[in-house]
Protein backbone atom coordinates (compact mmCIF):
# COMPACT_ATOMS: atom_id res chain seq x y z
CA UNK A 1 0.00 0.00 0.00
CA UNK A 2 1.75 3.18 -1.17
CA UNK A 3 -0.17 5.46 1.23
CA UNK A 4 1.07 3.40 4.17
CA UNK A 5 4.69 3.74 3.06
CA UNK A 6 4.25 7.44 2.31
CA UNK A 7 3.19 7.89 5.94
CA UNK A 8 6.15 5.86 7.16
CA UNK A 9 8.55 8.02 5.14
CA UNK A 10 7.08 11.11 6.83
CA UNK A 11 7.93 9.46 10.18
CA UNK A 12 11.55 9.00 9.14
CA UNK A 13 11.40 5.31 8.29
CA UNK A 14 14.34 4.49 6.07
CA UNK A 15 14.69 0.71 6.13
CA UNK A 16 12.44 -2.22 5.19
CA UNK A 17 13.13 -5.47 7.02
CA UNK A 18 11.39 -7.84 4.60
CA UNK A 19 11.24 -6.94 0.91
CA UNK A 20 12.51 -7.83 -2.52
CA UNK A 21 13.59 -5.70 -5.47
CA UNK A 22 10.07 -6.13 -6.87
CA UNK A 23 8.10 -4.97 -3.82
CA UNK A 24 10.53 -2.71 -1.92
CA UNK A 25 9.06 0.68 -1.05
CA UNK A 26 12.21 2.06 0.54
CA UNK A 27 15.73 2.36 -0.88
CA UNK A 28 17.25 0.31 1.94
CA UNK A 29 15.87 -3.20 2.45
CA UNK A 30 16.66 -6.77 3.39
CA UNK A 31 15.61 -9.69 1.23
CA UNK A 32 15.82 -13.46 1.25
CA UNK A 33 18.09 -13.78 -1.79
CA UNK A 34 21.16 -11.59 -1.36
CA UNK A 35 23.07 -13.22 -4.21
CA UNK A 36 20.52 -12.07 -6.80
CA UNK A 37 19.16 -8.99 -4.99
CA UNK A 38 22.44 -7.29 -4.03
CA UNK A 39 22.61 -5.47 -7.36
CA UNK A 40 19.25 -3.83 -6.50
CA UNK A 41 20.44 -2.67 -3.08
CA UNK A 42 19.49 -5.55 -0.79
CA UNK A 43 21.42 -5.88 2.47
CA UNK A 44 20.70 -9.63 2.52
CA UNK A 45 18.78 -11.59 5.13
CA UNK A 46 17.27 -9.57 7.97
CA UNK A 47 18.24 -12.35 10.37
CA UNK A 48 21.90 -12.04 9.39
CA UNK A 49 21.91 -8.22 9.36
CA UNK A 50 19.40 -6.73 11.82
CA UNK A 51 21.94 -6.23 14.60
CA UNK A 52 24.41 -4.54 12.22
CA UNK A 53 21.64 -2.32 10.83
CA UNK A 54 20.21 -1.31 14.20
CA UNK A 55 22.68 -1.83 17.07
CA UNK A 56 24.00 1.45 18.38
CA UNK A 57 22.21 3.51 15.74
CA UNK A 58 19.27 5.89 15.51
CA UNK A 59 17.15 4.29 12.79
CA UNK A 60 13.47 3.73 12.07
CA UNK A 61 12.34 0.51 10.41
CA UNK A 62 9.36 -0.97 8.62
CA UNK A 63 8.64 -4.64 9.16
CA UNK A 64 6.08 -6.66 7.23
CA UNK A 65 7.37 -10.22 7.58
CA UNK A 66 5.98 -13.23 5.75
CA UNK A 67 3.10 -14.68 7.69
CA UNK A 68 5.08 -17.64 8.98
CA UNK A 69 4.97 -18.14 12.73
CA UNK A 70 8.59 -19.09 13.39
CA UNK A 71 9.88 -16.15 11.32
CA UNK A 72 7.66 -13.63 13.09
CA UNK A 73 8.45 -15.00 16.57
CA UNK A 74 12.21 -14.88 15.98
CA UNK A 75 12.08 -11.42 14.40
CA UNK A 76 10.00 -9.92 17.22
CA UNK A 77 12.33 -11.32 19.90
CA UNK A 78 15.38 -9.87 18.14
CA UNK A 79 13.71 -6.48 17.61
CA UNK A 80 12.72 -6.20 21.28
CA UNK A 81 16.24 -7.12 22.42
CA UNK A 82 17.81 -4.52 20.11
CA UNK A 83 15.32 -1.84 21.20
CA UNK A 84 16.29 -2.56 24.80
CA UNK A 85 20.03 -2.47 24.06
CA UNK A 86 19.76 0.78 22.11
CA UNK A 87 17.60 2.42 24.78
CA UNK A 88 20.29 1.73 27.39
CA UNK A 89 22.91 3.55 25.31
CA UNK A 90 20.63 6.46 24.34
CA UNK A 91 19.83 5.47 20.74
CA UNK A 92 16.34 6.14 19.40
CA UNK A 93 14.46 3.63 17.27
CA UNK A 94 10.95 3.12 16.01
CA UNK A 95 9.63 0.04 14.25
CA UNK A 96 6.33 -0.02 12.36
CA UNK A 97 4.96 -3.53 11.89
CA UNK A 98 2.15 -5.12 9.87
CA UNK A 99 1.38 -8.60 11.16
CA UNK A 100 -1.39 -11.16 11.22
CA UNK A 101 -3.76 -10.97 14.16
CA UNK A 102 -2.89 -14.35 15.64
CA UNK A 103 -3.80 -13.73 19.27
CA UNK A 104 -2.63 -17.17 20.42
CA UNK A 105 0.89 -16.71 19.00
CA UNK A 106 3.98 -15.98 21.08
CA UNK A 107 4.81 -12.78 19.14
CA UNK A 108 1.31 -11.42 19.81
CA UNK A 109 1.68 -11.56 23.60
CA UNK A 110 5.30 -10.36 23.49
CA UNK A 111 4.26 -7.26 21.55
CA UNK A 112 1.09 -6.65 23.53
CA UNK A 113 3.02 -6.71 26.83
CA UNK A 114 6.22 -4.95 25.71
CA UNK A 115 7.22 -1.63 27.25
CA UNK A 116 8.22 -0.56 23.72
CA UNK A 117 4.75 -0.97 22.23
CA UNK A 118 3.22 2.44 21.55
CA UNK A 119 0.44 1.33 19.22
CA UNK A 120 -1.23 -2.05 19.12
CA UNK A 121 -4.39 -2.20 17.08
CA UNK A 122 -6.25 -3.52 14.12
CA UNK A 123 -6.85 -1.77 10.83
CA UNK A 124 -9.48 -3.06 8.44
CA UNK A 125 -8.11 -0.78 5.70
CA UNK A 126 -4.95 -2.89 5.65
CA UNK A 127 -6.68 -6.27 5.60
CA UNK A 128 -4.64 -8.97 3.93
CA UNK A 129 -5.33 -12.49 2.83
CA UNK A 130 -3.09 -15.45 3.36
CA UNK A 131 -2.44 -17.81 0.54
CA UNK A 132 -2.40 -21.26 2.07
CA UNK A 133 -0.27 -23.40 -0.22
CA UNK A 134 -1.25 -26.75 1.21
CA UNK A 135 -1.36 -30.14 -0.39
CA UNK A 136 -5.12 -30.53 -0.22
CA UNK A 137 -6.22 -27.03 -1.24
CA UNK A 138 -3.41 -25.30 -3.12
CA UNK A 139 -3.62 -21.51 -3.25
CA UNK A 140 -6.60 -21.19 -0.92
CA UNK A 141 -7.25 -17.59 0.09
CA UNK A 142 -7.70 -17.34 3.84
CA UNK A 143 -8.94 -14.03 5.31
CA UNK A 144 -6.64 -12.70 8.01
CA UNK A 145 -7.18 -9.73 10.28
CA UNK A 146 -4.26 -7.32 10.31
CA UNK A 147 -2.39 -6.20 13.41
CA UNK A 148 -0.64 -2.83 13.29
CA UNK A 149 2.13 -2.33 15.85
CA UNK A 150 4.35 0.65 16.53
CA UNK A 151 7.39 0.03 18.70
CA UNK A 152 9.62 2.79 20.06
CA UNK A 153 12.34 3.05 22.69
CA UNK A 154 11.98 6.82 23.05
Amino acid sequence: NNKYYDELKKKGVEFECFASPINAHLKKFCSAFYETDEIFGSYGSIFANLAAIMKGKDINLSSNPPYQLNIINEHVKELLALLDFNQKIGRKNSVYMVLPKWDDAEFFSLLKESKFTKKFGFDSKLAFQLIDIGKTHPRTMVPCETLIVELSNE
Side-chain angles (χ1 to χ4, degrees), residues 4-5 7-15 17 59-65 75 79 93-99 118-119 147-152 154:
Y4 176 73
Y5 283 96
E7 289 300 314
L8 292 183
K9 288 175 188 175
K10 289 178 188 174
K11 294 179 180 186
V13 174
E14 57 189 282
F15 200 95
C17 293
I59 189 168
N60 297 331
L61 310 170
S62 165
S63 179
N64 182 4
H75 182 58
L79 278 173
N93 308 111
S94 292
V95 182
Y96 300 87
M97 305 184 81
V98 178
L99 301 164
K118 306 302 179 200
K119 179 181 178 185
L147 172 64
I148 306 299
V149 179
E150 180 183 337
L151 303 171
S152 179
E154 291 188 53

Side-chain angles (χ1 to χ4, degrees), residues 17-18 46-47 50-51 53-54 59-65 71-86 93-97 99 111 114 116 149 151-153:
C17 293
F18 295 90
I46 191 64
F47 293 106
L50 184 59
I53 291 162
M54 207 175 152
I59 189 168
N60 297 331
L61 310 170
S62 165
S63 179
N64 182 4
I71 290 175
I72 299 172
N73 283 337
E74 184 180 340
H75 182 58
V76 165
K77 288 175 191 174
E78 187 175 17
L79 278 173
L80 294 175
L82 286 165
L83 285 167
D84 189 54
F85 176 87
N86 278 357
N93 308 111
S94 292
V95 182
Y96 300 87
M97 305 184 81
L99 301 164
L111 291 170
S114 173
F116 300 117
V149 179
L151 303 171
S152 179
N153 62 6

Side-chain angles (χ1 to χ4, degrees), residues 30-42:
C30 278
S31 65
F33 305 104
Y34 179 70
E35 296 79 16
T36 57
D37 298 348
E38 175 187 20
I39 193 168
F40 301 103
S42 173

Side-chain angles (χ1 to χ4, degrees), residues 11-148:
K11 294 179 180 186
V13 174
E14 57 189 282
F15 200 95
E16 238 175 310
C17 293
F18 295 90
S20 76
I22 295 170
N23 71 359
H25 293 272
L26 303 171
K27 290 180 183 177
K28 298 178 183 177
F29 65 94
C30 278
S31 65
F33 305 104
Y34 179 70
E35 296 79 16
T36 57
D37 298 348
E38 175 187 20
I39 193 168
F40 301 103
S42 173
Y43 283 60
S45 166
I46 191 64
F47 293 106
N49 293 296
L50 184 59
I53 291 162
M54 207 175 152
K55 195 171 187 177
K57 298 175 184 162
D58 295 324
I59 189 168
N60 297 331
L61 310 170
S62 165
S63 179
N64 182 4
Y67 287 15
Q68 187 172 329
L69 188 57
N70 62 326
I71 290 175
I72 299 172
N73 283 337
E74 184 180 340
H75 182 58
V76 165
K77 288 175 191 174
E78 187 175 17
L79 278 173
L80 294 175
L82 286 165
L83 285 167
D84 189 54
F85 176 87
N86 278 357
Q87 184 182 51
K88 290 175 182 170
I89 62 169
R91 295 297 181 193
K92 298 176 183 175
N93 308 111
S94 292
V95 182
Y96 300 87
M97 305 184 81
V98 178
L99 301 164
K101 182 191 170 216
W102 294 341
D103 54 9
D104 59 343
E106 180 182 18
F107 75 83
F108 191 92
S109 58
L110 287 171
L111 291 170
K112 189 172 184 180
E113 297 166 10
S114 173
K115 67 180 182 179
F116 300 117
T117 300
K118 306 302 179 200
K119 179 181 178 185
F120 187 90
F122 312 102
D123 190 336
S124 60
K125 294 177 187 174
L126 286 173
F128 289 92
Q129 291 188 331
L130 290 174
I131 299 176
D132 182 10
I133 306 175
K135 291 180 181 178
T136 55
H137 301 288
R139 301 193 60 84
T140 303
M141 299 300 279
V142 180
C144 180
E145 288 188 70
T146 303
L147 172 64
I148 306 299

